[in-house]
Amino acid sequence: MLPAAVAWADPPADSASTLQAAPYLLPGAPTFDMNITQFREKFSAENPKLPLNEFRAIGAKPSEINLMRAATKINENLYASAALERGTLKIKSIQITWLPIQGPEQKAARAKAAEYMAALLRTFTPSLSKPQSMAKLTKFLSDGKSKRYFAQTDGAMRYVVADNGEKGLTFAVEPIKLALSETLNNGE
């Protein structure tokens, strides 16, 4: 079983009046055009040195009838998790969560987490090289440093960083709906 410390890239709710659902929880939220099994196969083929075990379903909240959550343990301090469309298992949000460790292994553990996060970026943006994906990830993590929720939209993707300090760091990739401008919709 996964520890309760696995973080989800949901915006924080400081009070009931500011309660806001994560975009992937909203009705009609888009999905990637691949299910979790296809993602794992593609990720593993493209990153043979970064293995991902099979994702397993984890408890869902009663309010999430159209959503299923799944996760896989990479190692003692690194997890991958996903929010999936119930039935199709298509990905609404996919995350890598690093649970910081103290001591001499911390630097290597953080570097391994960054490798997985950059590989996640490349899976959905295959035009990025390894150095480009690492540079982009570094910028996202820097922009989201010490923020419980930071989101950056880039094309048809939303990148989310949830930095909870010693409790963990989550990097997520989510699809967004692209809307045509009013003029295009009217045929002008």
Side-chain angles (χ1 to χ4, degrees):
M1 289 309 305
L2 295 173
V6 173
W8 292 98
D10 293 343
D14 297 325
S15 71
S17 64
T18 62
L19 185 61
Q20 183 181 18
Y24 66 84
L25 294 173
L26 299 175
T31 62
F32 285 113
D33 195 25
M34 74 173 77
N35 66 35
I36 194 67
T37 304
Q38 293 165 331
F39 162 78
R40 185 176 159 263
E41 289 170 359
K42 180 178 180 176
F43 186 95
S44 296
E46 293 171 355
N47 304 285
K49 294 182 180 180
L50 302 174
L52 278 180
N53 295 318
E54 188 174 330
F55 283 74
R56 303 281 184 199
I58 55 177
K61 299 173 186 170
S63 62
E64 298 174 345
I65 59 172
N66 294 322
L67 186 73
M68 183 177 162
R69 296 184 190 259
T72 186
K73 181 178 177 179
I74 297 168
N75 62 36
E76 290 304 315
N77 62 320
L78 195 57
Y79 299 86
S81 54
L84 309 171
E85 181 178 65
R86 193 172 294 280
T88 67
L89 300 183
K90 287 188 176 180
I91 301 166
K92 289 180 167 280
S93 178
I94 184 120
Q95 302 108 8
I96 301 286
T97 297
W98 177 59
L99 304 174
I101 58 172
Q102 301 304 314
E105 299 90 25
Q106 182 179 24
K107 188 174 182 179
R110 186 174 178 93
K112 180 58 76 178
E115 282 183 64
Y116 272 91
M117 291 173 183
L120 180 63
L121 251 168
R122 285 191 307 279
T123 300
F124 293 102
T125 310
S127 61
L128 293 175
S129 66
K130 284 186 179 185
Q132 288 171 323
S133 64
M134 192 57 80
K136 194 168 191 167
L137 173 70
T138 301
K139 172 135 177 47
F140 290 141
L141 296 180
S142 174
D143 291 349
K145 182 142 181 76
S146 302
K147 295 178 184 171
R148 291 195 55 206
Y149 180 83
F150 169 80
Q152 174 77 41
T153 300
D154 185 8
M157 308 283 189
R158 176 185 308 104
Y159 301 101
V160 179
V161 175
D163 187 349
N164 292 307
E166 292 180 17
K167 292 181 182 176
L169 173 70
T170 298
F171 175 71
V173 180
E174 302 170 353
I176 60 170
K177 282 186 180 178
L178 295 177
L180 295 174
S181 72
E182 190 86 27
T183 7
L184 291 173
N185 286 334
N186 292 333
E188 296 173 8

